[in-house]
Amino acid sequence: MSKRDYYEVLEVNRTATEQELKSAYRRLAIRFHPDKNPGDASAEEKFKEAAEAYGVLADANQRQRYDRFGHAGVSSGAGQSWGAPGFGGIEDILGDLFGFGDVFGAGRAGANRSAAQRGADLRYDLEITLEEAYSGITAQLRIPRLETCETCKGNGAAAGTHPENCNNCGGTGQVRYQQGFFSVARTCQACRGAGRVVKNPCADCGGAGRIEREKQMEVRIPAGVETGSRLRVQGEGESGTQGGPSGDLYVVIHLAEHERFERQGSNLYASLPITFAQAALGSDVFVGTIEGEEKIKVPHGTQTGTVFRIKGKGMPVLGGRGRGDLFVSVSVVTPTSLTREQRKLLEQLAVVENKDLEDKGLVDKVRDIFG
Ligand SMILES: [Zn+2]
Ligand SMILES: [Zn+2]
C-alpha cells in the first residue's frame, strides 16, 4: 500500500487556497466520519487519510516541504509525524459551521494517539546511472526518521516511572457527550487523546517516545529498474507510537540521463556515425554497448536513418528473464575537413559521378531547373 498524494486525497489541485483546502477537508471529513459510518473500516481509513493530508497542507511550512520533497519532506522533519493522526469528534469538523470556533489547531497538535499507531511510510528518492540499473547495485542510504526512544522504550516516561492512566477520560482518550442529535466524542484535552499521561517525561525524547535519527542501511536495487520504479522496504519507515508497528520505506528510482543511450522499456537506442565510404562500400563497424562492443555489418548502399537491431544487448527485464535489444541508428557523416589525399580522391570521384550524370542526361535537366 502506497501513500496517496495529499492533493489527490483532498481532491483539490496543487494551487488550492487555504480556504479551498479547508472546505475540501470538511466535505470529506463529514462524509467519512466514523460517527456516521460505524464499523466501516474503509471509511475510517479515508477519514484518517484526509485528516493527515489536511494536517500537512494546512500548515504553510509543511506544505512547502511536501511540495518539494513529497511525503519524505513532511514525515521526518520537525519532530512531528502526520503518519496516522486519529480523529476527534464530528463537532471538530462542524466546529466552524456551528460557531464552536476553529478546533483544527487543537486537533492537529496531536490529538488522538489513543491507541497504538503505525509509523509513517517514508519516501527516498535515489538517482542511479544506466549502468547501475543494468547490473543492479547495493545502495547505501542515509535516512532521517523517527525511531522509538530506547531509554523509555517509546512510552515517554522517565526512567523508573510509568505513564499513568488519564483521570479525565479514564484512559480512553475521548470524552463523549450528547450534542443535539449527535453523540459526540471529543478528544480528551488532558491527555490529548493518548489515554495516558506522563508525569515525568523521559529526558532523552522529552516525553515524545520517539527520536529523530539518521539510519544508514543497504538496499539491494535489482537489475532492470527504471525511473519511477518503487522498492518497498518493509518496516523501515518511522517507528509507530505506543508500540504500533513501523511504517515502510519506499525507494523511488530516478535514472540519470546517459550520454550515449536512450532507454524505452527494456530497449536501448543509440546513434552511430559512419563515413560515406563505409556507407557506400559496406563495412564491419563496432558499436559500443553497455558492457563492451558489438560488431555489426553495414551493407553497401546504407542510408542515413537505417536502424540496426542488436538482439539481447538492451536492458535486463526487471524481475523477469532475458534482455531487451539495442537499436542503432546510422548517420552518414560528411567530413568537415579533408586531407590533401582525401580531396584528390573525392575530386576524382566527382568527375566520374558528373560524367555518369551527363551520360544519363541528368545534368542538363538540373541546369534547366536551377539555371
Ligand atoms: Zn524517551
Ligand atoms: Zn485523557
Side-chain angles (χ1 to χ4, degrees):
M1 278 289 290
S2 61
K3 247 169 137 59
R4 288 207 298 151
D5 177 72
Y6 287 149
Y7 293 98
E8 198 180 301
V9 168
L10 293 179
E11 298 168 0
V12 295
N13 59 39
R14 302 187 80 83
T15 56
T17 63
E18 259 176 63
Q19 195 51 49
E20 283 166 349
L21 287 171
K22 194 174 207 167
S23 20
Y25 171 55
R26 187 182 294 130
R27 188 164 36 78
L28 292 169
I30 290 172
R31 194 192 326 160
F32 295 119
H33 197 284
D35 284 2
K36 289 182 76 180
N37 303 274
D40 182 345
S42 87
E44 183 173 329
E45 240 356 274
K46 287 213 168 73
F47 182 83
K48 287 182 183 170
E49 201 183 17
E52 176 184 338
Y54 182 70
V56 169
L57 297 183
D59 179 318
N61 270 334
Q62 295 267 344
R63 183 176 181 180
Q64 208 180 12
R65 284 161 57 108
Y66 177 74
D67 287 346
R68 289 185 62 197
F69 305 114
H71 291 293
V74 289
S75 45
S76 62
Q80 179 81 273
S81 167
W82 304 109
F87 43 85
I90 199 164
E91 90 285 6
D92 282 4
I93 298 138
L94 301 178
D96 289 13
L97 294 178
F98 295 163
F100 291 175
D102 188 347
V103 286
F104 287 121
R108 282 216 315 277
N112 56 58
R113 303 272 148 92
S114 51
Q117 301 276 6
R118 183 175 177 276
D121 291 337
L122 295 178
R123 171 190 170 123
Y124 187 96
D125 290 277
L126 180 69
E127 185 174 280
I128 62 173
T129 63
L130 189 67
E131 284 84 355
E132 288 171 332
Y134 182 86
S135 56
I137 52 161
T138 300
Q140 311 283 337
L141 309 185
R142 299 159 72 91
I143 295 158
R145 66 179 189 185
L146 290 171
E147 293 183 1
T148 301
C149 171
E150 285 138 23
T151 314
C152 63
K153 305 273 184 296
N155 69 23
T161 71
H162 293 283
E164 291 164 30
N165 248 19
C166 173
N167 289 331
N168 193 43
C169 60
T172 61
Q174 294 195 324
V175 185
R176 299 193 75 88
Y177 57 96
Q178 203 69 26
Q179 176 88 48
F181 298 114
F182 300 111
S183 162
V184 292
R186 187 187 275 281
T187 301
C188 172
Q189 294 303 305
C191 62
R192 295 178 132 191
R196 282 177 292 177
V197 284
V198 174
K199 294 244 167 78
N200 302 301
C202 164
D204 286 353
C205 63
R210 298 190 297 176
I211 292 182
E212 187 168 338
R213 290 239 173 76
E214 194 175 76
K215 161 90 177 187
Q216 290 197 33
M217 70 178 89
E218 287 188 347
V219 173
R220 181 69 202 156
I221 309 294
V225 291
E226 54 192 310
T227 293
S229 295
R230 295 155 54 96
L231 305 167
R232 175 165 169 258
V233 189
Q234 201 173 359
E236 291 292 357
E238 301 203 325
S239 297
T241 56
Q242 312 270 347
S246 294
D248 298 330
L249 169 71
Y250 289 89
V251 180
V252 181
I253 302 294
H254 300 266
L255 242 60
E257 239 172 69
H258 196 278
E259 54 178 4
R260 287 193 20 244
F261 298 110
E262 266 188 57
R263 174 182 184 176
Q264 269 176 41
S266 59
N267 292 330
L268 291 175
Y269 297 81
S271 59
L272 175 70
I274 58 173
T275 66
F276 171 69
Q278 284 175 319
L281 302 171
S283 168
D284 287 347
V285 180
F286 287 91
V287 185
T289 65
I290 285 203
E291 282 176 312
E293 272 188 337
E294 205 59 33
K295 190 169 79 176
I296 55 175
K297 272 194 181 320
V298 174
H300 66 88
T302 293
Q303 306 290 320
T304 286
T306 304
V307 175
F308 295 92
R309 175 183 189 170
I310 309 178
K311 285 208 136 203
K313 293 295 170 184
M315 298 295 285
V317 177
L318 179 60
R321 249 178 252 153
R323 291 178 189 281
D325 301 328
L326 171 60
F327 293 86
V328 179
S329 168
V330 159
S331 55
V332 179
V333 176
T334 307
T336 51
S337 65
L338 296 171
T339 64
R340 184 186 290 264
E341 194 187 3
Q342 284 170 334
R343 173 171 290 275
K344 218 171 95 189
L345 290 169
L346 280 174
E347 280 167 356
Q348 285 176 21
L349 177 63
V351 170
V352 174
E353 283 176 341
N354 218 24
K355 173 107 190 347
D356 200 27
L357 290 175
E358 266 170 17
D359 286 350
K360 291 178 185 163
L362 285 172
V363 172
D364 289 339
K365 277 184 197 154
V366 173
R367 278 193 193 126
D368 287 348
I369 294 168
F370 294 104

